[in-house]
Amino acid sequence: MENINHTGAAAGTDQEAAESSKNFIEQEIDQDLAEGVYNHVQTRFPPEPNGYLHIGHAKSILLNYGLAKKYGGKFNLRFDDTNPTKEKTEFVESIIEDVKWLGADFEDRLFFASDYFETMYECAVLLIKKGKAFVCDLSAEEIREYRGDFTTPGRESPYRNRSVEENLRLFEEMKEGKYADGEKVLRAKIDMTSPNINMRDPVIYRVAHMAHHNTGDKWCIYPMYDFAHPIEDAVEHITHSICTLEFEDHRPLYDWVVRECEFENPPRQIEFAKLYLTNVVTGKRYIKKLVENGIVDGWDDPRLVSIAALRRRGYTPESIQKFVELVGVAKANSSVDYALLEYCIREDLKLKRPRMMAVLDPVKLVIDNYPEGQTEMLSIPNNLENESLGERQVPFSRELYIEREDFMEVPPKKYFRLFPGNEVRLMGAYFVTCTGCEKDADGRVTVVHGIYDPETKSGSGFTGRKVKGTIHWVSVPTAEKVECRLYENIVDEEKGKLNADGTLNLNPNSLTVLKDCYVEPALKGAKAYDSFQFMRSGYFCVDSRDSRPDAPVFNRIVSLKSSFKL
Ligand code: ATP
Ligand code: MG
């Protein structure tokens, strides 16, 4: 798996291995370059600005960007904003931010399909002049009826044989606003008997009296996707127009448009399978409902897999790049285990981030033989697996917070943490022996007591005896109180993603808010998106929306343990 993208190999078997590990898109590009179909590679990511990008789009972005980079070519970001009904500037901004954050550098090549409306109009006029397009007065319903289906051939529109002059005049009138929405359309004249329904005289322009976010009221006719998209690609000199499988049947129309519009060295379309993930919700329709019904707190709720949500949760661009690389490209749709994404972020943060102590479910431990009012500073390495992260000073004192689950009055077998008479190591500090506990009227433990052995200080070289358990702690007087948010998948795939009535089968435990957590003072001043390992609890990230200096909020990115093996 490691050499999926390993192409720079020098010679011999390495070179061969690199060639055979190329994905099918790379193989096609190699062939195009070898045969001189193209002499360069130019790709693009063409989002419609009608929502936030998600992990599936990240795959498309990194695939297109990666190919351009690999072949010394260029990568464009182009907004496919040809449908004025659903598009918003808010989405344009979020998409630009997300693409940049992912590391897909489009340099100065940020384009809007709506900037090509004039060219598209000219292409339509050219088609009319060539007798390849006609204005049709059938209603949308009639067009559908005439189109036929997989078993029935289509019937020709009664308007199909209008003269070029009449078509030119009517199309001009459509543009001038003479007709109401739906009254007339422009259709390509291809073949009503084609086995491919997309080729049965598809509509290429419609009337829509609607303001556009970029062009305002300039146009009242708008091109249809299947006509606009190939022209956008051709205008930008895209060579390989990479899209998802549902467009496979549209490819003959794509080729027809670039050919009949007489573009030189036209682009070609290559399809790959969409990325699906288990246990998450990617469809815009469902996410919108979750947002509108207040089940999640916005498009960037950390339980979602929009890019904004992953960023807020604490995912890094590197982890998503790794994920996309491991998933590879395929020609058949399949679902990828969410655990693979978790594996990638764990791997990415493992050596990069400091490991700190945080107590999520606190109970007090009082060390009765430690001097009252004394604080000593202990040097603790920031990451035992990466010395370059250095050390930090951690205050230690008589009163500590420990995890409630690290003490049991009556322990089960193989419990090596605190119970009366047992000795454990306090991480980076001393051995402490439990002497008992205090409880409230309900029998709930309120304070654990212990005594420490000053001889056993960490790093002092003490070898006198060994203990089986090590627990983490935070010194009470200097502890920083924080909120921690723990997440589970929002839907449980094994129990079924949807209920019988079509609504999402939501996991009621997808969010747990812990208000009384304590962290080391070294975490004071952590900024939005900063992430850390909280020892034994997982990786956490400062929430970019709700965290405040006087009331920090941490999101758990991922726990430490994984059921996933690569
Ligand atoms: P959605 O259906 O999730 O809203 P979309 O296809 O409507 O997605 P677009 O903005 O039209 O979103 O897509 C931009 C690009 O992203 C297209 O090239 C599309 O093929 C690609 N894309 C969308 N979803 C996925 C996915 N799950 N995996 C890979 N590529 C995707
Ligand atoms: Mg779409």
Side-chain angles (χ1 to χ4, degrees):
M1 281 226 158
E2 275 306 309
N3 61 6
I4 278 175
N5 260 349
H6 180 202
T7 53
T13 51
D14 271 5
Q15 180 76 45
E16 280 157 31
E19 292 295 325
S20 66
S21 72
K22 282 190 173 176
N23 65 47
F24 74 93
I25 298 178
E26 291 164 350
Q27 288 169 12
E28 301 233 7
I29 294 178
D30 282 349
Q31 194 176 340
D32 286 343
L33 294 174
E35 290 173 358
V37 180
Y38 304 109
N39 58 14
H40 70 292
V41 170
Q42 174 103 37
T43 60
R44 85 291 174 260
F45 174 65
E48 201 185 339
N50 64 355
Y52 287 86
L53 298 182
H54 54 63
I55 184 78
H57 296 116
K59 172 165 180 176
S60 177
I61 293 164
L62 294 170
L63 172 64
N64 279 290
Y65 173 67
L67 288 169
K69 217 172 124 184
K70 195 164 190 168
Y71 287 91
K74 288 179 179 153
F75 165 77
N76 297 357
L77 174 59
R78 179 210 313 146
F79 286 98
D80 207 333
D81 59 347
T82 53
N83 178 359
T85 44
K86 298 181 291 183
E87 295 157 4
K88 279 207 239 157
T89 316
E90 175 197 350
F91 297 131
V92 169
E93 282 157 14
S94 80
I95 289 171
I96 292 175
E97 186 186 354
D98 290 348
V99 173
K100 282 189 178 163
W101 180 77
L102 279 171
D105 188 2
F106 50 85
E107 298 171 353
D108 58 352
R109 289 179 304 283
L110 168 63
F111 301 119
F112 289 85
S114 53
D115 287 339
Y116 313 143
F117 279 162
E118 196 65 48
T119 306
M120 292 171 192
Y121 176 76
E122 285 162 14
C123 284
V125 169
L126 176 67
L127 291 181
I128 294 172
K129 286 184 178 159
K130 291 168 74 170
K132 300 277 183 176
F134 65 98
V135 173
C136 185
D137 299 3
L138 293 180
S139 67
E141 212 166 296
E142 287 164 329
I143 290 177
R144 211 171 307 124
E145 204 187 297
Y146 273 67
R147 190 179 295 137
D149 53 33
F150 287 110
T151 49
T152 331
R155 281 181 294 140
E156 292 187 353
S157 160
Y159 304 99
R160 198 174 199 262
N161 295 316
R162 278 177 163 153
S163 68
V164 168
E165 290 67 35
E166 189 182 5
N167 280 320
L168 283 174
R169 178 176 57 78
L170 292 173
F171 188 49
E172 180 74 23
E173 287 175 358
M174 280 168 66
K175 182 186 169 216
E176 279 166 2
K178 247 187 146 176
Y179 304 108
D181 294 8
E183 207 180 328
K184 281 187 169 41
V185 292
L186 184 71
R187 298 175 66 178
K189 195 193 275 190
I190 310 180
D191 179 4
M192 288 309 287
T193 63
S194 170
N196 183 337
I197 292 172
N198 295 308
M199 301 298 272
R200 295 183 188 169
D201 293 3
V203 174
I204 58 176
Y205 258 97
R206 64 187 171 121
V207 176
H209 291 272
M210 220 175 277
H212 184 279
H213 80 104
N214 183 24
T215 55
D217 290 324
K218 178 156 187 237
W219 296 90
C220 64
I221 51 171
Y222 291 96
M224 304 303 286
Y225 179 87
D226 280 338
F227 176 65
H229 199 84
I231 296 177
E232 295 158 27
D233 284 341
V235 167
E236 292 177 18
H237 302 292
I238 299 301
T239 54
H240 298 86
S241 175
I242 294 158
C243 65
T244 39
L245 284 182
E246 71 273 25
F247 291 103
E248 198 169 2
D249 290 344
H250 298 239
R251 190 181 345 127
L253 180 52
Y254 185 101
D255 292 340
W256 185 91
V257 171
V258 291
R259 188 176 65 243
E260 294 300 341
C261 295
E262 301 176 11
F263 285 99
E264 266 170 48
N265 207 212
R268 62 172 290 212
Q269 176 180 306
I270 302 178
E271 308 87 17
F272 73 101
K274 272 195 174 182
L275 169 68
Y276 295 99
L277 267 187
T278 60
N279 294 316
V280 298
V281 183
T282 45
K284 277 174 203 159
R285 195 160 56 97
Y286 287 117
I287 294 178
K288 207 161 169 241
K289 265 204 194 126
L290 293 176
V291 175
E292 280 166 3
N293 297 338
I295 292 162
V296 296
D297 79 353
W299 283 88
D300 63 352
D301 184 288
R303 288 166 293 179
L304 299 174
V305 286
S306 62
I307 310 285
L310 289 167
R311 181 166 58 230
R312 182 173 166 202
R313 176 90 172 247
Y315 275 84
T316 57
E318 293 79 7
S319 64
I320 296 173
Q321 288 159 8
K322 182 76 187 168
F323 173 72
V324 165
E325 185 188 315
L326 288 175
V327 169
V329 286
K331 274 191 220 183
N333 286 323
S334 67
S335 267
V336 175
D337 194 339
Y338 182 78
L340 180 61
L341 189 59
E342 297 191 313
Y343 166 85
C344 292
I345 186 64
R346 242 185 240 115
E347 284 296 299
D348 186 46
L349 300 181
K350 192 163 77 181
L351 301 181
K352 283 189 193 165
R353 297 291 193 264
R355 300 174 182 181
M356 315 282 238
M357 293 195 280
V359 174
L360 305 190
D361 181 18
V363 67
K364 258 186 202 174
L365 167 66
V366 177
I367 303 170
D368 292 299
N369 62 339
Y370 194 88
E372 254 176 86
Q374 176 177 311
T375 293
E376 71 181 290
M377 299 305 278
L378 303 171
S379 274
I380 299 189
N382 283 325
N383 186 326
L384 279 175
E385 293 180 72
N386 179 4
E387 272 183 25
S388 72
L389 291 186
E391 293 186 341
R392 69 186 183 285
Q393 299 295 307
V394 183
F396 181 85
S397 66
R398 187 171 191 265
E399 294 200 0
L400 310 173
Y401 289 116
I402 59 167
E403 298 286 353
R404 185 165 284 279
E405 60 164 32
D406 285 346
F407 169 78
M408 284 187 104
E409 205 176 6
V410 185
K413 265 196 179 150
K414 299 207 172 160
Y415 184 84
F416 300 119
R417 291 172 261 170
L418 286 173
F419 56 87
N422 193 44
E423 187 172 50
V424 302
R425 169 173 291 289
L426 293 171
M427 204 174 268
Y430 299 95
F431 286 9
V432 61
T433 303
C434 180
T435 53
C437 68
E438 294 171 36
K439 288 191 270 193
D440 64 13
D442 302 326
R444 186 173 155 88
V445 175
T446 51
V447 181
V448 178
H449 286 274
I451 48 169
Y452 86 118
D453 177 354
E455 302 283 295
T456 58
K457 186 169 176 177
S458 226
S460 67
F462 174 79
T463 52
R465 59 185 185 279
K466 286 205 156 79
V467 289
K468 281 197 171 143
T470 300
I471 65 171
H472 61 272
W473 50 273
V474 170
S475 171
V476 172
T478 46
E480 167 100 329
K481 189 173 168 178
V482 305
E483 175 179 321
C484 287
R485 296 176 182 172
L486 310 185
Y487 302 101
E488 285 180 20
N489 288 327
I490 198 157
V491 286
D492 187 340
E493 196 100 2
E494 270 161 34
K495 292 188 192 129
K497 229 172 192 167
L498 298 180
N499 296 313
D501 62 357
T503 55
L504 283 169
N505 183 14
L506 295 169
N507 172 4
N509 304 317
S510 63
L511 170 65
T512 304
V513 178
L514 303 173
K515 297 250 181 210
D516 298 296
C517 307
Y518 293 94
V519 300
E520 300 177 25
L523 280 156
K524 261 188 198 136
K527 295 185 298 294
Y529 303 111
D530 284 353
S531 60
F532 309 89
Q533 184 188 114
F534 288 175
M535 279 188 228
R536 295 170 64 211
S537 308
Y539 290 96
F540 286 74
C541 173
V542 179
D543 189 76
S544 54
R545 191 200 286 221
D546 298 336
S547 192
R548 293 195 315 275
D550 59 337
V553 177
F554 286 85
N555 296 316
R556 179 153 72 185
I557 310 167
V558 66
S559 60
L560 293 180
K561 283 196 206 81
S562 162
S563 53
F564 189 81
K565 292 271 179 304
L566 194 67

